[in-house]
Every structure is written in C-alpha cells, then in structure tokens.
C-alpha cells in the first residue's frame, strides 16, 4: 500500500478530493458536451430541412426577393425551434445517463461510504461484494470466497477465484490478486486497493468507446420514420396537383402556381414528426427520473403505457425492507449468535449496514447482549458457500474453541430437511417424524402471521442439528395499498413473485390489497410444462418459494399469454427475467449492478408506488404524442383540402405562397411544443392498457384526423367562399382565409388537448405553453390584417367587422363541435 500512498483506513476525504482533481474522473471517455452549434449543424443537414432550403432557393429565383427573405427567416425560426427542442432532448438523455451511473462502497478515513464510481481515485479501498461491478482496477488485500466473472475482459467464461497472494509477472488471465474495471463479483467478499482509474485501466486501454453515441431509435421512432417517407411522397404529390389543376382549370399564372406548389410542399412536408417523438420520449424519461424512476432506454418510455401485468417482489417493493426480529423459535441467544456468523452485515458508526435480514439479526443479537465482535473473533470464518437458489440456503465453515463447524441459514423447510437432530431445552435430540412435523407446524404458524422465517442449523462431524428459527417482520409500505388499487383500476394485474413462504406472501398480499387468486410454489411451477404454466399464470396472484429460473419461466409464460409484463428484481439471478420482460425494473437501493444493467428502468427508492407513477407518466407521454401527431396531420390534411377544393370550384388558391409558409410556422410550433406540455387527463389511470400490437395510426386515429380536418377545412373554406362571393376581391378573400386558419387552428388545438374530457374539466389555461402559442398566433392574425405596413409584407388587407364576426363564428363552429361530442359521451358514461 505504501507504493500508492494509502493505508487500511483508506484515503482521507481531502486527499481523495485532491487526487480526483489531479487524476480526473474515473470514466472511460469524458461525456461529450452538448453544443448548440453542433446540434444546429446536425439539424440543418437533415434531409427534410435541406428540402425546405431547396424550396427557399427556388422561391428566391422565381419569386419576390422580400418574400424569399421571409421564407428563409421562417426556415431559420423552424430550425431554431428544432435546435432548442433537440438540445432539451439531448440534455435530458445526458442527464439520464448521469443519473444511471452506479456507485461503489469505499473506505475513507476508516469509514465506509457510498460514492459515485466516477469519483473513485487511486489509493481508495473498495469493498467487493457479490453482485457488484468492479469500479476500477485494484489489488486484492483480503478476501473471503471471492470470485469474479472476467468474461467481459478476457473472454474466459468461468469465474476466477481471487485472493491477496502475490503472483509475479503473469498474463492478465492469471492475475488472481487483481480485479478489473467492468468485471462482476459473482460470489464472496473482499477488499482491494485501487491502482488505476478511467483510461488508465485495462478496459480503458483496450476499449475504443465511441463518443457522443446516439441512443438507439425506438420502435415508434422507426415507425414514424417510415410514415414520414410516405407523407413526403403524398405531400409532394398534392403540392404539384393543386397548382397544376389551378393552371389547367382556371388559367392562373404559371409562375405564381410554381411558387404555390413550392409553398404547399414547404407546409405539408412533415419535418417535425421525428423531433416531436424524440422530445416526448426524452423529456418524459427525464421527468420520470425526477420521480425516482431512472429510465435507461427510451424504449421503456413508450412501452410503459401498455403494461398489462406487473410482477413485483414482496420484500422492499411492497414492504419497507426494514426488517426486525419478531419471534424466535429455539434458544434465543445461541440462535442469534450463530446467525451473526453466517452474516454479511457490518458495523459502522451509524449502526449496522448490509442486507436488511442480516442487519435485523445483528441488531436483535446486540439487544440480547451478544458480543458480536467477540463471537466473530472466536469463530473465524474459513470458507463460505454463498446462497444457492436451488438449495435455498447458505453456509459458512468456522473454526473456533469447539472445533470446525458449519453454520447453515436459509428457508426453514430447506434447513430442516438437511438435519438429522434438533436442539431441545439445551440438549441435542434425534429429529424423528413427530418432532419434524411439530417444528414445521410452528414455523408455518410464524409464516401465517406474516413473518419471514429463517431456519438456522449447525453441522459437525456427528451430523447436522436444527437449532431453531428466526421470524422477521417487514411491514408493508403505507402507500402500497393505494398503489395496488391504482394498478387494478388501470386494468393492470399485479402479481407477486417471491422466494418467501406461501403463507408469509399471502399475509402481506392481504395487507396491501393484492388479489391473491391462486397461490403456486416453485415446486408447482416445475411440475408444469410451458403451455400449462401459461394457461395457469392468468389466475395466479402469488408465486411463492420461487427461484430466479422459475421467475424467468413465469415471465415468459405471462408474455406467451399476450401480457405486456413489467418485472422487478435486484439480484444477479434476476437479470434473465429482467431482460426477458417488456419492462425490466431494477431496485436502486441494495440492488446489484448486474440487475441494473439488465433492466430498462431503475427505481431509486425501491417503491412500488414509483412503478405506478411511471406507468401513469408513460400513458401520459403516449397520449400527448398521439394528440400532437393527430393535430399535426389534421392540419396538413385540412390545408391540402382547402387548396384543392378552391381549385376544383374554379377559385384562386385561398392562400398566397408566403401565407402558407407563415401558417406552417405556427402549425409546427403548436405540434412540437404545445402538446408536449399537456397534463394527463384525469381518467388516464382508469383506462385499460393500450394494445402494444396495435398500429400507431389505427382506424380510430385516422377517423379522428379526418374528422378534425373536416371541421378546420369547413371553417376556412366557408369563410373564403363568403368573402369571395361577398366582395369579389381575391386579396380580401385570401386575407379572410388566412385569418380564419390562424384562429381556427388554435381553437382546434385547444379542443384536441383531450380525447375524452371537456375543456372546462382540464382548465382552459392549464397548458401555459399552448396558451402562449395560441395568443401569439391570434395576435399575429390581427396585426397582419389591421396594421397597414404589414399588408404588403404578408399580402393581406384590412377586414370589416362583419368578416371578423364571421371568422369567429365559423372558427368556433368548426372546432367546438368536438366539445359537444365529449360532453355527450361523458353524460352517457355517467
């Protein structure tokens, strides 16, 4: 340790901070800063924006110079909005990545402390524990049954036993006294002194990590990309059809029609769709992180709203994970003393730290006057068998005054089944069938009272003796019942999958209101084939005494039934089930790095209620995305329809090319910003989950798009036609159509904020972003028509009061019919 200037007490906090400043953070590649000019360059080179720029160039050649300047100003405004939105999305993703960074336990100043992995420096003493990822290259200084999976570094599949013995100059795969960044501790305990961090580690030297990698595109993003391609084709087709018909049928000026075609293409090309989706997913993920649910993959955000079953562990998720010893069956002090040996909890200045079960046992032993440190010194642990999920027990071999003994702790039936004798009144007696049945009955009684029961035994050369059982109580979380009720109300089935006794699991389920239905044990699961398990899984509320392998089968069985499954887990062996689930949810408190890596989302507070909030947020995100896209496409359809209808009845195109471009600016702003900020509808958690197999543009959405477009089209075309026939002046008619569009498309957005709830229930002013956008659009309509110096720029004229009255009436009639439908449906529902 002298070579790296540290001691068994670790570095002092000041020395660690000094080394961090000198050496830099423990990261393989510095996080790339998000720069606005790089995002701007990326946006400008997008195919859609390049197409718009090409249209602007052609317009500047064929049209008026001042109009071309306005067009490029609008393009600049659109790019600015997209850059701002993309910056927010990228920074949100960057923040999520920072939040999902793991932490590690180090010894500093003689005290154990949890620090972010990136703050570890050479000289730190790190604690190595089963299930944790090694945070830096380090030299082992002591170990107890320590083994590390180095396959990610060496390719060797078998775990490598680690100890502190010197090995000399040997290849990396033979350095049994070293542990390396990114490898996994699969069993045992140990301490090691950090010798290299960041790019100085073995992984840093051999890895060429790409900087600034984009997160993978989600299924929805890919679907929208394909939709955008088709919409570009349709937009260009209609943009050519309208002016061509106007030229052929009405004999309108060819050059003006070319400009109209360019403007229509500008307005109807769906360049905003990809950014809308990225914004909704990324910002939604960031909002979830503020609620203790850190989303690691954007796919999880879009899948949350479709969850139909949540498979939750009992301990720490539905309960507080705060255990205390409530009952003891057997010699109390002796039992607690033995259990303190097969125990990984450690004493610190704040108390005991470690696994909650181990902590509770040490706390009770301390209260009973057991000298824990003295017991551990007299009975030195010489080997350990970690918890085996098949045998359902763990053990240590100790050497002390009574010789070599094996201390066993685990599920009561597994421990009792391994014994041939038992302790009774301080004497060892044969464990005959009668005694076995009596002990089992008493332990089942403890489990029926909601206690988690652990059996304890000791093995010697003469055989294995059952010493007794410890009953621990983990109180349900206060908010668990409310969360379970919310899940059931949302059409989602909660399923408990636990390693605990069926009676304990049932007692907790009843306390939190989880529908029990049928109860199956892991042994029951093993007797079924996959088809039978899939059929049975629909009626089972509790799977008890399950192994991680059985948990994986249960998850697959539920998915085979067509369920969209969220699964919680925290251990190494939970990783397969987390990976197999539609949404893998890892526990942030006490969970292993392996589980976090396999999961799509990490709960910072291990709280079931956080999953409920995440589902609600996921539903809201998808609903807002649907509303934004529906509004966006409805406006596009209405714009094309108005232009096409006018040409068919042999009238001029209702808008000048410049007006079309200005309309596009307001339309895109509304779709890309206003709907993203919309609150969730009040009944969002009373609806059944959406079908994940359903197309995004399903029949219902297509009907809604065209129905909404018909209202906007009717208002604008009726106003245009009335002005044309009433005044016979194309400028007045186009001004009327332009003003009607700006007013009506704002009212349409307000009405499309909700699919089911009337506006008065949402609060007309609750979405401040939409209110600001709407006021700006309507104010611009008034200024463009009533301020003389804008007339030439925008190609408008002043409108008489009666035309404004018509505009308002038609705009309300063309959009507020949706409110009448929602109100009628609400009355029918009641």
């Amino acid at each position: 340790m002298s070579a790296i200037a540290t001691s068994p007490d670790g570095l002092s906090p000041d020395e660690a901070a000094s080394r961090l400043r000198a050496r830099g953070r423990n990261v393989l590649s510095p996080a790339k800063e998000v720069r606005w000019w790089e995002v701007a360059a990326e946006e400008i080179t997008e195919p859609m924006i390049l197409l718009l720029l090409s249209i602007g160039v052609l317009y500047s050649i064929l049209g008026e110079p001042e109009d071309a300047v306005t067009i490029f100003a609008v393009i600049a405004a659109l790019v600015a909005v997209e850059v701002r939105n993309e910056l927010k999305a990228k920074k949100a993703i960057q923040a999520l990545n920072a939040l999902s960074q793991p932490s590690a336990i180090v010894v500093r100043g003689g005290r154990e402390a949890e620090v972010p992995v990136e703050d570890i420096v050479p000289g730190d003493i790190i604690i190595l524990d089963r299930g944790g990822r090694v945070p830096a290259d380090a030299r082992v200084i002591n170990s107890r049954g320590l083994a590390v999976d180095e396959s990610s570094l060496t390719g060797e599949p078998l775990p490598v036993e680690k100890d502190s013995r010197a090995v000399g100059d040997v290849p990396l795969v033979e350095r049994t006294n070293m542990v390396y960044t990114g490898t996994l501790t699969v069993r045992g305990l140990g301490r090691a002194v950090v010798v290299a961090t960041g790019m100085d580690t073995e992984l840093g030297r051999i890895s060429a990590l790409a900087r600034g990698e984009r997160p993978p595109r989600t299924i929805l993003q890919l679907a929208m990309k394909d939709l955008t391609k088709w919409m570009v084709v349709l937009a260009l087709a209609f943009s050519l059809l309208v002016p061509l018909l106007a030229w052929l049928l009405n004999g309108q000026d060819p050059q003006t029609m070319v400009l109209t075609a360019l403007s229509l293409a500008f307005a109807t090309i769906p360049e905003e769709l990809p950014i809308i989706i990225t914004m909704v997913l990324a910002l939604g993920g960031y909002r979830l992180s503020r609620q203790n649910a850190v989303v690691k993959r954007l796919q999880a955000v879009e899948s949350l709203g479709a969850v139909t079953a949540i498979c939750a562990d009992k301990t720490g998720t539905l309960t507080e994970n705060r255990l205390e010893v409530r009952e003891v069956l057997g010699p109390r002090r002796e039992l607690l003393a033995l259990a303190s040996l097969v125990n990984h909890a450690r004493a610190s200045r704040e108390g005991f730290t470690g696994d909650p079960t181990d902590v509770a046992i040490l706390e009770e032993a301390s209260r009973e006057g057991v000298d824990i440190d003295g017991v551990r010194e007299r009975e030195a642990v010489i080997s350990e068998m970690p918890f085996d999920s098949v045998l359902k027990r763990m053990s240590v071999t100790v050497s002390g005054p009574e010789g070599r003994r094996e201390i066993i702790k685990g599920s009561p039936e597994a421990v009792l089944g391994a014994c041939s004798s038992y302790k009774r009144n301080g004497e060892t007696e044969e464990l005959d069938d009668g005694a076995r049945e009596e002990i089992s009955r008493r332990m089942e009684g403890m489990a029926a009272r909601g206690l988690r029961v652990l059996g304890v035994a000791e093995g010697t050369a003469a055989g294995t003796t059952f010493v007794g059982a410890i009953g621990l109580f983990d109180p349900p979380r206060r908010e668990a019942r409310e969360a379970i009720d919310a899940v059931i109300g949302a059409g989602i089935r909660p399923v408990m999958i636990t390693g605990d006794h069926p009676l304990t699991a049932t007692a907790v389920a009843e306390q939190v209101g989880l529908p029990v239905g049928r109860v199956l044990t892991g042994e029951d699961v093993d007797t079924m084939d996959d088809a039978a398990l899939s059929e049975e899984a629909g009626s089972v509320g509790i799977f008890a005494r399950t192994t991680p392998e059985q948990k994986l089968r249960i998850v697959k069985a539920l998915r085979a039934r067509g369920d969209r499954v969220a699964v919680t887990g925290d251990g190494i062996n939970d990783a397969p089930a987390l990976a197999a689930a539609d949404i893998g949810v890892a526990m942030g408190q006490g969970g292993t790095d392996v589980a976090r890596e396999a999961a799509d989302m990490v709960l910072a507070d291990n709280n079931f209620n956080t999953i409920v909030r995440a589902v609600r947020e996921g539903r809201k995100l998808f609903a807002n995305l649907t509303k934004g896209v529906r509004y966006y496409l409805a406006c596009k359809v209405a714009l094309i329809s108005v232009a096409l209808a006018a040409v068919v009845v042999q009238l001029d195109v209702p808008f000048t090319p410049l007006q079309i471009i200005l309309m596009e600016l307001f339309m895109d702003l509304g779709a890309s910003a206003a709907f993203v900020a919309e609150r969730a509808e009040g009944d969002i958690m009373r609806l059944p989950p959406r079908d994940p197999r359903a197309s995004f543009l399903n029949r219902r959405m297509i009907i809604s798009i065209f129905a909404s477009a018909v209202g906007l089209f009717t208002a604008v075309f009726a106003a245009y036609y009335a002005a044309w026939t009433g005044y016979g002046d194309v400028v007045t008619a186009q001004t009327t159509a332009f003003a009607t569009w700006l007013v009506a498309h704002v009212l349409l957005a307000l009405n499309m904020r909700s699919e089911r709830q009337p506006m008065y229930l949402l609060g007309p002013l609750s979405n401040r972003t939409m209110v600001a956008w709407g006021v700006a659009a309507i104010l611009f309509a008034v200024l463009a028509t009533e301020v003389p110096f804008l007339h030439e720029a925008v190609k408008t004229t002043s409108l008489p009061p009666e035309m404004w009255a018509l505009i308002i009436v038609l705009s309300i009639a063309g959009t507020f019919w949706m409110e009448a439908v929602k109100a009628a449906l609400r009355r029918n529902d009641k």
Side-chain angles (χ1 to χ4, degrees), residues 73-87:
V74 171
I75 293 174
L78 286 172
V79 170
V81 170
E82 293 196 3
V83 167
R84 177 179 177 274
N85 291 341
E86 186 75 3
L87 273 172

Side-chain angles (χ1 to χ4, degrees), residues 11 68 121 175 185 200 285 315-317 361 371 475 481 485 517 593 633 661 689 709 762:
L11 303 173
V121 295
R175 297 175 197 166
T185 305
D200 294 329
T315 304
T317 306
I361 290 171
D371 180 6
R481 176 175 284 275
D485 290 343
D593 290 339
L633 297 183
I661 290 167
L762 294 176

Side-chain angles (χ1 to χ4, degrees), residues 674-696:
F675 281 96
V676 173
E678 187 57 52
R679 296 180 180 179
E681 296 185 45
D683 63 348
I684 198 164
M685 287 299 283
R686 295 194 295 272
L687 299 174
R690 65 179 176 84
D691 184 354
R693 295 163 296 186
S695 171
F696 181 76

Side-chain angles (χ1 to χ4, degrees), residues 292-477:
N292 292 318
V294 180
V295 175
K296 296 176 68 235
R297 302 179 181 94
L298 287 183
Q299 289 92 330
V301 179
E302 72 180 58
S303 299
L304 277 167
V307 167
T308 61
I310 298 178
C311 296
D313 190 13
K314 174 183 70 66
T315 304
T317 306
L318 295 173
T319 61
E320 293 184 7
N321 202 15
R322 180 184 58 80
L323 292 173
E324 54 188 40
V325 175
R326 283 290 180 92
E327 292 184 34
V328 173
L329 175 63
R332 192 177 190 92
R333 284 176 60 88
E334 180 183 357
L335 192 59
L336 293 169
L338 289 175
S340 67
L341 291 172
V342 58
N343 191 306
H344 287 159
R346 296 178 290 271
S348 67
R349 293 182 183 178
E350 291 78 22
F352 297 104
T353 61
D355 179 83
T357 300
D358 290 347
V359 167
I361 290 171
L362 293 192
E363 288 175 343
E364 185 66 18
S366 181
R367 282 192 290 269
E368 286 292 317
V370 176
D371 180 6
I372 297 169
D373 291 336
V375 169
R376 287 179 167 180
E377 287 177 8
R378 288 194 305 273
E379 306 278 358
V381 174
I382 58 177
S383 68
E384 175 182 2
M385 186 185 78
F387 182 80
D388 188 297
S389 58
V390 177
L391 297 175
K392 298 177 183 175
R393 63 178 188 255
M394 63 181 296
S395 66
V396 295
T397 301
V398 299
S399 179
E402 299 179 35
R404 181 172 292 200
R405 294 186 297 163
E406 182 183 25
I407 314 300
I408 304 169
K409 181 182 75 177
S411 73
E413 58 266 35
V415 173
L416 186 63
C419 295
S420 58
S421 59
Y422 74 107
K423 284 285 182 74
R424 181 182 180 186
N425 299 325
E427 300 295 330
T428 302
E429 298 186 11
E430 182 184 354
L431 186 62
D432 56 24
D433 290 342
R436 191 182 298 275
E437 185 178 336
E438 174 63 18
I439 293 172
S440 296
R441 184 186 62 78
R442 293 181 65 181
M443 291 192 299
E444 286 178 3
M446 294 169 69
R449 291 188 288 278
L451 301 182
R452 181 183 181 188
V453 185
L454 291 175
V456 179
E458 62 176 335
T460 63
T464 304
T465 302
F466 185 81
V467 179
I470 299 173
L472 301 109
F473 180 68
D474 183 7
R477 290 182 179 270

Side-chain angles (χ1 to χ4, degrees), residues 608-621:
F608 188 82
N609 207 33
T610 302
I611 303 176
V612 178
R613 290 197 297 269
V615 170
R616 186 179 190 275
E617 186 71 21
R619 289 189 174 191
K620 184 189 82 169
L621 295 176

Side-chain angles (χ1 to χ4, degrees), residues 560-689:
R561 295 183 67 253
D563 278 313
R564 192 82 160 181
V565 184
V567 174
T568 67
D570 60 3
I572 293 175
N573 291 330
D574 287 327
L578 291 170
D582 296 287
I583 303 290
V585 183
M587 300 295 104
Q589 295 179 354
T592 61
D593 290 339
V594 183
R596 292 190 191 102
E597 187 171 285
D600 303 290
M601 186 168 75
V602 178
L603 298 188
D605 57 1
N606 291 21
N607 193 334
F608 188 82
N609 207 33
T610 302
I611 303 176
V612 178
R613 290 197 297 269
V615 170
R616 186 179 190 275
E617 186 71 21
R619 289 189 174 191
K620 184 189 82 169
L621 295 176
F622 197 86
N624 286 354
L625 177 62
T626 302
K627 293 170 188 175
V629 172
R630 187 178 57 174
Y631 165 77
Y632 184 74
L633 297 183
C635 288
K636 303 283 187 186
V637 171
L639 175 60
I640 292 172
S641 302
V642 168
L644 188 61
V647 170
V648 169
V649 299
Q650 298 189 341
L651 298 178
D652 287 351
V653 175
F655 312 106
T656 67
L658 184 60
Q659 288 170 358
I660 293 173
I661 290 167
L662 291 170
M663 288 156 52
E664 158 73 357
L665 174 62
F666 283 104
M667 190 194 320
D668 282 355
L669 283 171
S672 65
F675 281 96
V676 173
E678 187 57 52
R679 296 180 180 179
E681 296 185 45
D683 63 348
I684 198 164
M685 287 299 283
R686 295 194 295 272
L687 299 174

